[in-house]
Short mmCIF file of all heavy atoms in Angstrom, two decimals:
data_model
loop_
_atom_site.label_atom_id
_atom_site.label_comp_id
_atom_site.label_asym_id
_atom_site.label_seq_id
_atom_site.Cartn_x
_atom_site.Cartn_y
_atom_site.Cartn_z
N MET A 1 8.38 -45.79 17.27
CA MET A 1 7.44 -45.42 18.33
C MET A 1 6.04 -45.70 17.85
O MET A 1 5.65 -45.36 16.75
CB MET A 1 7.64 -43.94 18.66
CG MET A 1 6.77 -43.48 19.75
SD MET A 1 7.25 -41.77 20.17
CE MET A 1 5.82 -41.28 21.02
N THR A 2 5.31 -46.35 18.68
CA THR A 2 3.93 -46.66 18.32
C THR A 2 2.98 -45.73 19.05
O THR A 2 3.27 -45.26 20.16
CB THR A 2 3.57 -48.10 18.70
OG1 THR A 2 3.71 -48.25 20.09
CG2 THR A 2 4.45 -49.09 17.96
N THR A 3 1.92 -45.44 18.43
CA THR A 3 0.90 -44.61 19.07
C THR A 3 -0.31 -45.46 19.39
O THR A 3 -0.69 -46.33 18.61
CB THR A 3 0.49 -43.44 18.18
OG1 THR A 3 0.01 -43.97 16.95
CG2 THR A 3 1.66 -42.51 17.91
N ILE A 4 -0.84 -45.22 20.53
CA ILE A 4 -2.04 -45.96 20.94
C ILE A 4 -3.26 -45.18 20.47
O ILE A 4 -3.40 -43.99 20.80
CB ILE A 4 -2.07 -46.14 22.47
CG1 ILE A 4 -0.84 -46.90 22.91
CG2 ILE A 4 -3.35 -46.83 22.90
CD1 ILE A 4 -0.67 -46.98 24.41
N PRO A 5 -4.10 -45.81 19.72
CA PRO A 5 -5.29 -45.08 19.24
C PRO A 5 -6.24 -44.76 20.40
O PRO A 5 -6.51 -45.59 21.24
CB PRO A 5 -5.94 -46.04 18.25
CG PRO A 5 -5.42 -47.39 18.63
CD PRO A 5 -4.07 -47.19 19.23
N VAL A 6 -6.64 -43.52 20.43
CA VAL A 6 -7.57 -43.07 21.46
C VAL A 6 -8.95 -42.96 20.84
O VAL A 6 -9.11 -42.32 19.80
CB VAL A 6 -7.14 -41.69 22.02
CG1 VAL A 6 -8.14 -41.19 23.05
CG2 VAL A 6 -5.75 -41.78 22.60
N PRO A 7 -9.93 -43.60 21.45
CA PRO A 7 -11.28 -43.51 20.88
C PRO A 7 -11.78 -42.07 20.94
O PRO A 7 -11.58 -41.37 21.93
CB PRO A 7 -12.12 -44.43 21.75
CG PRO A 7 -11.33 -44.64 22.99
CD PRO A 7 -9.89 -44.43 22.64
N ALA A 8 -12.37 -41.65 19.86
CA ALA A 8 -12.88 -40.29 19.78
C ALA A 8 -14.20 -40.20 20.55
O ALA A 8 -15.22 -40.69 20.11
CB ALA A 8 -13.08 -39.88 18.33
N THR A 9 -14.13 -39.59 21.72
CA THR A 9 -15.35 -39.38 22.50
C THR A 9 -15.60 -37.90 22.61
O THR A 9 -14.68 -37.10 22.77
CB THR A 9 -15.23 -39.99 23.92
OG1 THR A 9 -14.12 -39.41 24.57
CG2 THR A 9 -15.07 -41.49 23.85
N LYS A 10 -16.82 -37.57 22.53
CA LYS A 10 -17.20 -36.17 22.61
C LYS A 10 -17.81 -35.91 23.98
O LYS A 10 -18.67 -36.65 24.43
CB LYS A 10 -18.20 -35.85 21.50
CG LYS A 10 -18.50 -34.39 21.36
CD LYS A 10 -19.42 -34.15 20.17
CE LYS A 10 -19.68 -32.67 20.01
NZ LYS A 10 -20.57 -32.41 18.88
N ALA A 11 -17.34 -34.88 24.64
CA ALA A 11 -17.87 -34.54 25.95
C ALA A 11 -19.30 -34.06 25.81
O ALA A 11 -19.63 -33.28 24.91
CB ALA A 11 -17.02 -33.46 26.60
N THR A 12 -20.13 -34.54 26.70
CA THR A 12 -21.53 -34.10 26.68
C THR A 12 -21.79 -33.25 27.91
O THR A 12 -21.41 -33.62 29.02
CB THR A 12 -22.49 -35.30 26.67
OG1 THR A 12 -22.21 -36.11 27.80
CG2 THR A 12 -22.34 -36.11 25.41
N PRO A 13 -22.42 -32.12 27.74
CA PRO A 13 -22.71 -31.28 28.91
C PRO A 13 -23.80 -31.90 29.78
O PRO A 13 -24.63 -32.67 29.30
CB PRO A 13 -23.19 -29.97 28.28
CG PRO A 13 -23.72 -30.37 26.96
CD PRO A 13 -22.90 -31.53 26.50
N VAL A 14 -23.75 -31.57 31.05
CA VAL A 14 -24.78 -32.04 31.97
C VAL A 14 -26.00 -31.14 31.80
O VAL A 14 -25.91 -29.92 31.92
CB VAL A 14 -24.29 -31.98 33.43
CG1 VAL A 14 -25.40 -32.37 34.39
CG2 VAL A 14 -23.09 -32.89 33.60
N VAL A 15 -27.10 -31.75 31.49
CA VAL A 15 -28.33 -30.98 31.31
C VAL A 15 -29.15 -31.12 32.58
O VAL A 15 -29.50 -32.21 33.00
CB VAL A 15 -29.14 -31.50 30.10
CG1 VAL A 15 -30.42 -30.73 29.95
CG2 VAL A 15 -28.29 -31.41 28.85
N LEU A 16 -29.42 -29.99 33.22
CA LEU A 16 -30.15 -29.99 34.49
C LEU A 16 -31.26 -28.95 34.41
O LEU A 16 -31.01 -27.79 34.07
CB LEU A 16 -29.17 -29.64 35.62
CG LEU A 16 -29.62 -29.83 37.04
CD1 LEU A 16 -29.90 -31.29 37.34
CD2 LEU A 16 -28.56 -29.32 37.99
N PRO A 17 -32.47 -29.34 34.69
CA PRO A 17 -33.56 -28.36 34.68
C PRO A 17 -33.32 -27.26 35.72
O PRO A 17 -32.70 -27.51 36.75
CB PRO A 17 -34.80 -29.18 35.05
CG PRO A 17 -34.41 -30.59 34.93
CD PRO A 17 -32.93 -30.67 35.03
N VAL A 18 -33.82 -26.08 35.43
CA VAL A 18 -33.60 -24.94 36.32
C VAL A 18 -34.16 -25.20 37.71
O VAL A 18 -33.54 -24.86 38.72
CB VAL A 18 -34.22 -23.66 35.71
CG1 VAL A 18 -34.16 -22.51 36.71
CG2 VAL A 18 -33.52 -23.29 34.43
N SER A 19 -35.31 -25.88 37.79
CA SER A 19 -35.91 -26.13 39.11
C SER A 19 -34.99 -27.02 39.95
O SER A 19 -34.82 -26.79 41.15
CB SER A 19 -37.28 -26.76 38.96
OG SER A 19 -37.18 -27.99 38.25
N LYS A 20 -34.40 -28.04 39.34
CA LYS A 20 -33.47 -28.89 40.09
C LYS A 20 -32.18 -28.14 40.41
O LYS A 20 -31.60 -28.33 41.48
CB LYS A 20 -33.13 -30.15 39.29
CG LYS A 20 -34.15 -31.23 39.42
CD LYS A 20 -33.61 -32.52 38.85
CE LYS A 20 -34.54 -33.67 39.16
NZ LYS A 20 -34.01 -34.95 38.68
N ALA A 21 -31.72 -27.31 39.49
CA ALA A 21 -30.50 -26.55 39.74
C ALA A 21 -30.69 -25.60 40.91
O ALA A 21 -29.79 -25.44 41.74
CB ALA A 21 -30.10 -25.78 38.49
N VAL A 22 -31.85 -24.98 41.00
CA VAL A 22 -32.13 -24.06 42.12
C VAL A 22 -32.14 -24.83 43.44
O VAL A 22 -31.58 -24.37 44.44
CB VAL A 22 -33.47 -23.32 41.89
CG1 VAL A 22 -33.94 -22.63 43.15
CG2 VAL A 22 -33.34 -22.34 40.75
N LEU A 23 -32.74 -26.01 43.44
CA LEU A 23 -32.75 -26.81 44.67
C LEU A 23 -31.34 -27.22 45.08
O LEU A 23 -30.98 -27.14 46.26
CB LEU A 23 -33.63 -28.05 44.48
CG LEU A 23 -35.13 -27.80 44.47
CD1 LEU A 23 -35.88 -29.09 44.17
CD2 LEU A 23 -35.58 -27.24 45.80
N TRP A 24 -30.54 -27.67 44.13
CA TRP A 24 -29.16 -28.07 44.45
C TRP A 24 -28.35 -26.88 44.94
O TRP A 24 -27.57 -26.99 45.89
CB TRP A 24 -28.49 -28.70 43.23
CG TRP A 24 -28.80 -30.15 43.11
CD1 TRP A 24 -29.68 -30.74 42.25
CD2 TRP A 24 -28.23 -31.21 43.89
NE1 TRP A 24 -29.70 -32.09 42.46
CE2 TRP A 24 -28.82 -32.41 43.45
CE3 TRP A 24 -27.31 -31.26 44.91
CZ2 TRP A 24 -28.50 -33.64 44.01
CZ3 TRP A 24 -26.99 -32.49 45.48
CH2 TRP A 24 -27.58 -33.65 45.02
N LEU A 25 -28.52 -25.73 44.29
CA LEU A 25 -27.77 -24.54 44.69
C LEU A 25 -28.18 -24.08 46.08
O LEU A 25 -27.32 -23.78 46.92
CB LEU A 25 -27.98 -23.42 43.67
CG LEU A 25 -27.22 -22.13 43.94
CD1 LEU A 25 -25.72 -22.39 43.91
CD2 LEU A 25 -27.59 -21.08 42.91
N ALA A 26 -29.48 -24.05 46.35
CA ALA A 26 -29.95 -23.62 47.66
C ALA A 26 -29.51 -24.60 48.74
O ALA A 26 -29.06 -24.19 49.82
CB ALA A 26 -31.47 -23.48 47.66
N GLY A 27 -29.62 -25.89 48.48
CA GLY A 27 -29.19 -26.89 49.46
C GLY A 27 -27.71 -26.81 49.75
O GLY A 27 -27.27 -26.88 50.91
N THR A 28 -26.92 -26.64 48.70
CA THR A 28 -25.48 -26.53 48.88
C THR A 28 -25.12 -25.28 49.66
O THR A 28 -24.26 -25.31 50.55
CB THR A 28 -24.78 -26.51 47.51
OG1 THR A 28 -25.15 -27.70 46.80
CG2 THR A 28 -23.28 -26.44 47.65
N ALA A 29 -25.80 -24.18 49.38
CA ALA A 29 -25.52 -22.93 50.11
C ALA A 29 -25.89 -23.06 51.58
O ALA A 29 -25.15 -22.60 52.45
CB ALA A 29 -26.29 -21.77 49.46
N ILE A 30 -27.01 -23.70 51.87
CA ILE A 30 -27.43 -23.87 53.27
C ILE A 30 -26.45 -24.75 54.03
O ILE A 30 -26.03 -24.43 55.15
CB ILE A 30 -28.87 -24.43 53.33
CG1 ILE A 30 -29.86 -23.37 52.88
CG2 ILE A 30 -29.21 -24.93 54.72
CD1 ILE A 30 -31.26 -23.86 52.66
N VAL A 31 -26.04 -25.85 53.42
CA VAL A 31 -25.08 -26.74 54.08
C VAL A 31 -23.74 -26.03 54.27
O VAL A 31 -23.11 -26.13 55.33
CB VAL A 31 -24.91 -28.04 53.26
CG1 VAL A 31 -23.75 -28.86 53.77
CG2 VAL A 31 -26.19 -28.86 53.33
N ALA A 32 -23.30 -25.28 53.26
CA ALA A 32 -22.03 -24.57 53.36
C ALA A 32 -22.07 -23.51 54.45
O ALA A 32 -21.11 -23.36 55.22
CB ALA A 32 -21.67 -23.94 52.01
N LEU A 33 -23.17 -22.78 54.54
CA LEU A 33 -23.29 -21.76 55.58
C LEU A 33 -23.35 -22.39 56.97
O LEU A 33 -22.77 -21.85 57.92
CB LEU A 33 -24.52 -20.89 55.34
CG LEU A 33 -24.37 -19.88 54.20
CD1 LEU A 33 -25.71 -19.18 53.94
CD2 LEU A 33 -23.29 -18.86 54.52
N ALA A 34 -24.02 -23.53 57.10
CA ALA A 34 -24.06 -24.22 58.39
C ALA A 34 -22.67 -24.68 58.79
O ALA A 34 -22.25 -24.51 59.94
CB ALA A 34 -25.03 -25.39 58.33
N LEU A 35 -21.92 -25.27 57.85
CA LEU A 35 -20.56 -25.70 58.14
C LEU A 35 -19.68 -24.50 58.51
O LEU A 35 -18.89 -24.56 59.46
CB LEU A 35 -19.95 -26.43 56.95
CG LEU A 35 -20.37 -27.88 56.78
CD1 LEU A 35 -19.83 -28.44 55.48
CD2 LEU A 35 -19.87 -28.70 57.95
N TYR A 36 -19.83 -23.40 57.76
CA TYR A 36 -19.05 -22.20 58.05
C TYR A 36 -19.36 -21.69 59.45
O TYR A 36 -18.45 -21.32 60.20
CB TYR A 36 -19.33 -21.12 57.01
CG TYR A 36 -18.64 -19.82 57.31
CD1 TYR A 36 -17.29 -19.66 57.03
CD2 TYR A 36 -19.33 -18.76 57.89
CE1 TYR A 36 -16.64 -18.47 57.32
CE2 TYR A 36 -18.70 -17.58 58.18
CZ TYR A 36 -17.35 -17.44 57.90
OH TYR A 36 -16.73 -16.26 58.19
N TYR A 37 -20.64 -21.69 59.81
CA TYR A 37 -21.02 -21.21 61.13
C TYR A 37 -20.42 -22.09 62.22
O TYR A 37 -19.79 -21.61 63.16
CB TYR A 37 -22.54 -21.15 61.29
CG TYR A 37 -22.93 -20.82 62.71
CD1 TYR A 37 -22.85 -19.52 63.17
CD2 TYR A 37 -23.30 -21.83 63.59
CE1 TYR A 37 -23.14 -19.22 64.48
CE2 TYR A 37 -23.60 -21.53 64.91
CZ TYR A 37 -23.52 -20.23 65.35
OH TYR A 37 -23.81 -19.94 66.65
N PHE A 38 -20.61 -23.41 62.10
CA PHE A 38 -20.16 -24.30 63.17
C PHE A 38 -18.64 -24.36 63.27
O PHE A 38 -18.11 -24.50 64.36
CB PHE A 38 -20.75 -25.70 62.98
CG PHE A 38 -22.21 -25.75 63.31
CD1 PHE A 38 -23.13 -26.15 62.37
CD2 PHE A 38 -22.66 -25.38 64.56
CE1 PHE A 38 -24.47 -26.20 62.66
CE2 PHE A 38 -24.01 -25.41 64.88
CZ PHE A 38 -24.92 -25.82 63.92
N ILE A 39 -17.95 -24.26 62.16
CA ILE A 39 -16.48 -24.32 62.22
C ILE A 39 -15.88 -22.95 62.53
O ILE A 39 -14.95 -22.84 63.31
CB ILE A 39 -15.91 -24.89 60.91
CG1 ILE A 39 -16.30 -26.35 60.78
CG2 ILE A 39 -14.39 -24.73 60.87
CD1 ILE A 39 -15.88 -26.98 59.48
N GLY A 40 -16.41 -21.89 61.95
CA GLY A 40 -15.75 -20.61 62.05
C GLY A 40 -16.32 -19.63 63.02
O GLY A 40 -15.62 -18.70 63.43
N VAL A 41 -17.57 -19.76 63.42
CA VAL A 41 -18.20 -18.70 64.20
C VAL A 41 -18.60 -19.19 65.58
O VAL A 41 -18.44 -18.46 66.56
CB VAL A 41 -19.43 -18.14 63.44
CG1 VAL A 41 -20.11 -17.06 64.26
CG2 VAL A 41 -19.02 -17.62 62.08
N ASP A 42 -19.13 -20.38 65.71
CA ASP A 42 -19.67 -20.87 66.98
C ASP A 42 -18.58 -20.86 68.04
O ASP A 42 -17.58 -21.53 67.91
CB ASP A 42 -20.21 -22.29 66.79
CG ASP A 42 -21.01 -22.73 67.99
OD1 ASP A 42 -22.21 -22.49 67.99
OD2 ASP A 42 -20.40 -23.31 68.92
N GLN A 43 -18.79 -20.06 69.08
CA GLN A 43 -17.75 -19.89 70.10
C GLN A 43 -18.28 -20.08 71.51
O GLN A 43 -17.73 -19.53 72.45
CB GLN A 43 -17.13 -18.48 70.02
CG GLN A 43 -16.22 -18.28 68.87
CD GLN A 43 -14.83 -18.79 69.16
OE1 GLN A 43 -14.52 -19.26 70.24
NE2 GLN A 43 -13.96 -18.72 68.16
N GLY A 44 -19.34 -20.76 71.71
CA GLY A 44 -19.85 -20.96 73.06
C GLY A 44 -20.75 -19.82 73.49
O GLY A 44 -21.96 -19.99 73.57
N ALA A 45 -20.18 -18.64 73.74
CA ALA A 45 -20.98 -17.50 74.21
C ALA A 45 -21.97 -17.06 73.14
O ALA A 45 -23.06 -16.59 73.45
CB ALA A 45 -20.07 -16.34 74.60
N THR A 46 -21.60 -17.17 71.89
CA THR A 46 -22.49 -16.77 70.81
C THR A 46 -23.12 -17.97 70.13
O THR A 46 -23.63 -17.87 69.04
CB THR A 46 -21.73 -15.94 69.76
OG1 THR A 46 -20.67 -16.76 69.24
CG2 THR A 46 -21.17 -14.68 70.34
N SER A 47 -23.07 -19.10 70.79
CA SER A 47 -23.58 -20.33 70.18
C SER A 47 -25.09 -20.33 70.11
O SER A 47 -25.76 -19.79 71.00
CB SER A 47 -23.10 -21.52 70.99
OG SER A 47 -23.68 -22.71 70.50
N VAL A 48 -25.63 -20.96 69.09
CA VAL A 48 -27.08 -21.10 69.00
C VAL A 48 -27.58 -22.14 69.98
O VAL A 48 -28.77 -22.23 70.22
CB VAL A 48 -27.52 -21.48 67.57
CG1 VAL A 48 -27.24 -20.36 66.60
CG2 VAL A 48 -26.88 -22.77 67.11
N PHE A 49 -26.68 -22.90 70.55
CA PHE A 49 -27.07 -23.93 71.51
C PHE A 49 -26.75 -23.50 72.94
O PHE A 49 -26.53 -24.33 73.82
CB PHE A 49 -26.36 -25.25 71.20
CG PHE A 49 -26.70 -25.79 69.86
CD1 PHE A 49 -25.78 -25.77 68.82
CD2 PHE A 49 -27.97 -26.31 69.61
CE1 PHE A 49 -26.11 -26.27 67.58
CE2 PHE A 49 -28.30 -26.81 68.37
CZ PHE A 49 -27.38 -26.79 67.34
N GLY A 50 -26.69 -22.21 73.21
CA GLY A 50 -26.40 -21.73 74.55
C GLY A 50 -24.91 -21.58 74.77
O GLY A 50 -24.15 -21.41 73.83
N LYS A 51 -24.50 -21.65 76.02
CA LYS A 51 -23.09 -21.44 76.35
C LYS A 51 -22.30 -22.74 76.33
O LYS A 51 -21.24 -22.83 76.93
CB LYS A 51 -22.97 -20.77 77.71
CG LYS A 51 -23.52 -19.35 77.69
CD LYS A 51 -23.28 -18.64 78.98
CE LYS A 51 -23.80 -17.20 78.89
NZ LYS A 51 -23.56 -16.44 80.09
N SER A 52 -22.81 -23.71 75.63
CA SER A 52 -22.12 -24.99 75.53
C SER A 52 -20.93 -24.88 74.57
O SER A 52 -21.01 -24.26 73.52
CB SER A 52 -23.08 -26.06 75.02
OG SER A 52 -22.38 -27.25 74.76
N MET A 53 -19.82 -25.48 74.93
CA MET A 53 -18.63 -25.47 74.08
C MET A 53 -18.47 -26.81 73.35
O MET A 53 -17.41 -27.10 72.80
CB MET A 53 -17.38 -25.22 74.94
CG MET A 53 -17.34 -23.83 75.55
SD MET A 53 -17.18 -22.53 74.34
CE MET A 53 -15.46 -22.70 73.91
N VAL A 54 -19.51 -27.61 73.34
CA VAL A 54 -19.41 -28.95 72.75
C VAL A 54 -19.09 -28.87 71.26
O VAL A 54 -18.18 -29.55 70.78
CB VAL A 54 -20.72 -29.73 72.99
CG1 VAL A 54 -20.70 -31.04 72.25
CG2 VAL A 54 -20.93 -29.96 74.47
N ILE A 55 -19.82 -28.04 70.52
CA ILE A 55 -19.58 -27.95 69.08
C ILE A 55 -18.21 -27.33 68.82
O ILE A 55 -17.47 -27.78 67.93
CB ILE A 55 -20.70 -27.15 68.41
CG1 ILE A 55 -21.99 -27.94 68.50
CG2 ILE A 55 -20.37 -26.84 66.96
CD1 ILE A 55 -23.19 -27.24 67.99
N HIS A 56 -17.84 -26.33 69.60
CA HIS A 56 -16.53 -25.71 69.43
C HIS A 56 -15.42 -26.75 69.61
O HIS A 56 -14.48 -26.81 68.81
CB HIS A 56 -16.35 -24.58 70.44
CG HIS A 56 -15.00 -23.94 70.38
ND1 HIS A 56 -14.71 -22.92 69.52
CD2 HIS A 56 -13.86 -24.21 71.06
CE1 HIS A 56 -13.44 -22.58 69.68
NE2 HIS A 56 -12.90 -23.34 70.60
N GLU A 57 -15.53 -27.54 70.63
CA GLU A 57 -14.51 -28.56 70.86
C GLU A 57 -14.55 -29.65 69.81
O GLU A 57 -13.52 -30.20 69.43
CB GLU A 57 -14.68 -29.18 72.27
CG GLU A 57 -14.45 -28.19 73.39
CD GLU A 57 -13.05 -27.61 73.39
OE1 GLU A 57 -12.11 -28.27 72.93
OE2 GLU A 57 -12.90 -26.47 73.84
N PHE A 58 -15.75 -29.96 69.31
CA PHE A 58 -15.88 -31.01 68.31
C PHE A 58 -15.20 -30.63 67.00
O PHE A 58 -14.61 -31.47 66.33
CB PHE A 58 -17.37 -31.32 68.07
CG PHE A 58 -17.61 -32.47 67.15
CD1 PHE A 58 -17.36 -33.76 67.58
CD2 PHE A 58 -18.07 -32.27 65.87
CE1 PHE A 58 -17.58 -34.84 66.74
CE2 PHE A 58 -18.28 -33.33 65.02
CZ PHE A 58 -18.04 -34.63 65.45
N VAL A 59 -15.27 -29.35 66.61
CA VAL A 59 -14.68 -28.91 65.34
C VAL A 59 -13.38 -28.13 65.57
O VAL A 59 -12.91 -27.43 64.68
CB VAL A 59 -15.66 -28.05 64.53
CG1 VAL A 59 -16.87 -28.86 64.13
CG2 VAL A 59 -16.07 -26.82 65.28
N HIS A 60 -12.79 -28.27 66.75
CA HIS A 60 -11.62 -27.48 67.10
C HIS A 60 -10.45 -27.69 66.15
O HIS A 60 -9.81 -26.73 65.72
CB HIS A 60 -11.21 -27.80 68.55
CG HIS A 60 -10.25 -26.83 69.11
ND1 HIS A 60 -8.98 -27.16 69.45
CD2 HIS A 60 -10.37 -25.51 69.35
CE1 HIS A 60 -8.36 -26.10 69.91
NE2 HIS A 60 -9.17 -25.08 69.86
N ASP A 61 -10.15 -28.92 65.82
CA ASP A 61 -9.03 -29.19 64.92
C ASP A 61 -9.28 -28.61 63.53
O ASP A 61 -8.38 -28.07 62.89
CB ASP A 61 -8.74 -30.69 64.84
CG ASP A 61 -8.16 -31.21 66.14
OD1 ASP A 61 -7.68 -30.39 66.94
OD2 ASP A 61 -8.20 -32.44 66.34
N ALA A 62 -10.51 -28.74 63.06
CA ALA A 62 -10.85 -28.18 61.75
C ALA A 62 -10.72 -26.67 61.76
O ALA A 62 -10.25 -26.06 60.80
CB ALA A 62 -12.27 -28.58 61.36
N ARG A 63 -11.10 -26.05 62.87
CA ARG A 63 -10.97 -24.59 63.01
C ARG A 63 -9.51 -24.17 62.87
O ARG A 63 -9.19 -23.24 62.14
CB ARG A 63 -11.52 -24.16 64.36
CG ARG A 63 -11.37 -22.70 64.68
CD ARG A 63 -11.86 -22.43 66.08
NE ARG A 63 -13.26 -22.74 66.18
CZ ARG A 63 -14.21 -21.82 66.20
NH1 ARG A 63 -13.89 -20.56 66.17
NH2 ARG A 63 -15.47 -22.17 66.28
N HIS A 64 -8.62 -24.85 63.56
CA HIS A 64 -7.21 -24.51 63.46
C HIS A 64 -6.65 -24.82 62.09
O HIS A 64 -5.86 -24.06 61.54
CB HIS A 64 -6.41 -25.25 64.54
CG HIS A 64 -6.50 -24.61 65.87
ND1 HIS A 64 -5.59 -23.68 66.31
CD2 HIS A 64 -7.41 -24.73 66.85
CE1 HIS A 64 -5.94 -23.28 67.52
NE2 HIS A 64 -7.04 -23.90 67.87
N PHE A 65 -7.05 -25.95 61.52
CA PHE A 65 -6.57 -26.34 60.21
C PHE A 65 -6.95 -25.32 59.14
O PHE A 65 -6.16 -25.02 58.24
CB PHE A 65 -7.11 -27.72 59.84
CG PHE A 65 -6.70 -28.20 58.49
CD1 PHE A 65 -5.41 -28.63 58.26
CD2 PHE A 65 -7.61 -28.20 57.44
CE1 PHE A 65 -5.01 -29.07 57.00
CE2 PHE A 65 -7.23 -28.63 56.19
CZ PHE A 65 -5.93 -29.07 55.97
N LEU A 66 -8.14 -24.76 59.24
CA LEU A 66 -8.61 -23.81 58.24
C LEU A 66 -8.20 -22.37 58.55
O LEU A 66 -8.48 -21.47 57.77
CB LEU A 66 -10.14 -23.90 58.11
CG LEU A 66 -10.63 -25.25 57.58
CD1 LEU A 66 -12.14 -25.32 57.66
CD2 LEU A 66 -10.15 -25.46 56.15
N GLY A 67 -7.55 -22.13 59.70
CA GLY A 67 -7.01 -20.81 59.99
C GLY A 67 -8.00 -19.86 60.62
O GLY A 67 -7.74 -18.64 60.63
N PHE A 68 -9.10 -20.35 61.16
CA PHE A 68 -10.02 -19.45 61.85
C PHE A 68 -9.42 -19.07 63.20
O PHE A 68 -8.79 -19.89 63.86
CB PHE A 68 -11.38 -20.12 62.06
CG PHE A 68 -12.21 -20.20 60.84
CD1 PHE A 68 -12.27 -21.36 60.09
CD2 PHE A 68 -12.94 -19.11 60.41
CE1 PHE A 68 -13.02 -21.44 58.95
CE2 PHE A 68 -13.70 -19.18 59.27
CZ PHE A 68 -13.75 -20.34 58.53
N PRO A 69 -9.63 -17.84 63.66
CA PRO A 69 -9.12 -17.46 64.97
C PRO A 69 -9.86 -18.25 66.05
O PRO A 69 -11.05 -18.47 65.97
CB PRO A 69 -9.44 -15.97 65.06
CG PRO A 69 -10.50 -15.72 64.07
CD PRO A 69 -10.33 -16.75 63.00
N CYS A 70 -9.09 -18.65 67.05
CA CYS A 70 -9.70 -19.50 68.07
C CYS A 70 -9.33 -19.00 69.47
O CYS A 70 -10.14 -18.45 70.17
CB CYS A 70 -9.22 -20.93 67.88
SG CYS A 70 -9.96 -22.10 69.00
N HIS A 71 -8.10 -19.19 69.87
CA HIS A 71 -7.67 -18.80 71.20
C HIS A 71 -6.26 -18.30 71.16
O HIS A 71 -5.59 -18.38 70.19
CB HIS A 71 -7.79 -19.95 72.19
CG HIS A 71 -7.17 -21.22 71.73
ND1 HIS A 71 -5.86 -21.52 71.87
CD2 HIS A 71 -7.71 -22.27 71.06
CE1 HIS A 71 -5.61 -22.72 71.35
NE2 HIS A 71 -6.72 -23.18 70.83
ZN1 LIG B 101 -8.11 -23.48 69.38
#
C-alpha cells in the first residue's frame, strides 16, 4: 500500500478588523430580519405595503417549505 504525501499546510485564521466585523454583522442581521419578515410574517393585512398579497404570494412556496403557518 502506498501513501500519498500530503503537503503540510497550516490553517490561518481570518483576521478582520472590529469595525468591518460590526458592519458585516449588522448587515447580515438586517438582511436576515427582512427575509424572516417577508417569508414568515407578511400576511397582507399586516403587510408594510398595505393590504397587498403580492409579497405573500411571491414567497408562498418558501413559507410552506420552511414550515411557517400560512392557511
Ligand atoms: Zn399557503
Side-chain angles (χ1 to χ4, degrees):
M1 182 173 162
T2 61
T3 58
I4 300 172
V6 177
T9 58
K10 189 176 182 180
T12 56
V14 176
V15 179
L16 191 64
V18 172
S19 59
K20 277 192 172 183
V22 167
L23 286 176
W24 275 103
L25 182 61
T28 303
I30 289 170
V31 169
L33 286 173
L35 281 174
Y36 176 78
Y37 173 78
F38 287 121
I39 292 176
V41 179
D42 191 90
Q43 286 278 357
T46 60
S47 175
V48 293
F49 299 108
K51 293 186 178 182
S52 173
M53 294 294 285
V54 173
I55 293 175
H56 177 86
E57 295 299 331
F58 185 73
V59 296
H60 194 245
D61 290 342
R63 176 184 298 256
H64 280 268
F65 178 74
L66 296 173
F68 285 99
C70 184
H71 50 84

